[in-house]
Amino acid sequence: MSSDSAISPEDSPTKDIDQVVHQRVRLGLLTIANEARRVEFRFLQDSMDLTAGNLSQHIRVLEEAGLIRVIKGTEGRKPRTWVSVTKAGRQALHDEVASLKALIHRVERAGDPTT
């Protein structure tokens, strides 16, 4: 393929990238939640180095997409928020990883950039 040839939408290297999942914070959030039965909000905030407001926004996007479930409760007398990945979220994460692997394969197949 020459650099001047047009790529059809079907051949776009990023056509299968899910914008909801692919965003850096949301991809990380789904990955951590996928590794545990449930994960506490504060743990996510600390491990991803986010403000509470920023994390809340990303959680809201994933929750509205049906990819995570938010559970509010208490532990002792302290209010807590836990996040767990849904079946759809687990599938979306696996689909995203498969899309990224395909993109990597395409780049590697194109060859060494120094030649």
Side-chain angles (χ1 to χ4, degrees):
M1 178 184 310
S2 75
S3 60
D4 355 324
S5 61
I7 296 176
S8 71
E10 299 84 39
D11 292 332
S12 171
T14 57
K15 71 178 174 28
D16 294 325
I17 299 293
D18 181 332
Q19 289 301 306
V20 171
V21 174
H22 187 73
Q23 196 283 339
R24 180 186 66 83
V25 171
R26 293 191 291 265
L27 184 59
L29 198 156
L30 278 174
T31 299
I32 293 169
N34 186 58
E35 295 170 346
R37 187 174 68 85
R38 68 180 189 173
V39 60
E40 207 265 325
F41 182 93
R42 183 67 182 191
F43 176 83
L44 289 169
Q45 183 182 355
D46 292 344
S47 63
M48 298 182 70
D49 194 28
L50 299 169
T51 65
N54 191 280
L55 179 57
S56 292
Q57 289 176 335
H58 289 291
I59 285 174
R60 187 175 312 113
V61 169
L62 291 172
E63 185 179 30
E64 288 174 358
L67 303 180
I68 62 168
R69 184 176 306 107
V70 176
I71 304 108
K72 294 190 179 272
T74 58
E75 193 170 74
R77 292 181 177 218
K78 294 184 178 185
R80 298 279 190 228
T81 300
W82 293 277
V83 173
S84 63
V85 68
T86 63
K87 184 177 180 182
R90 201 169 272 112
Q91 184 63 53
L93 178 60
H94 286 276
D95 291 348
E96 185 69 16
V97 169
S99 296
L100 291 171
K101 285 179 180 178
L103 182 63
I104 290 166
H105 177 71
R106 185 171 172 160
V107 169
E108 288 174 343
R109 194 177 66 226
D112 183 352
T114 61
T115 60

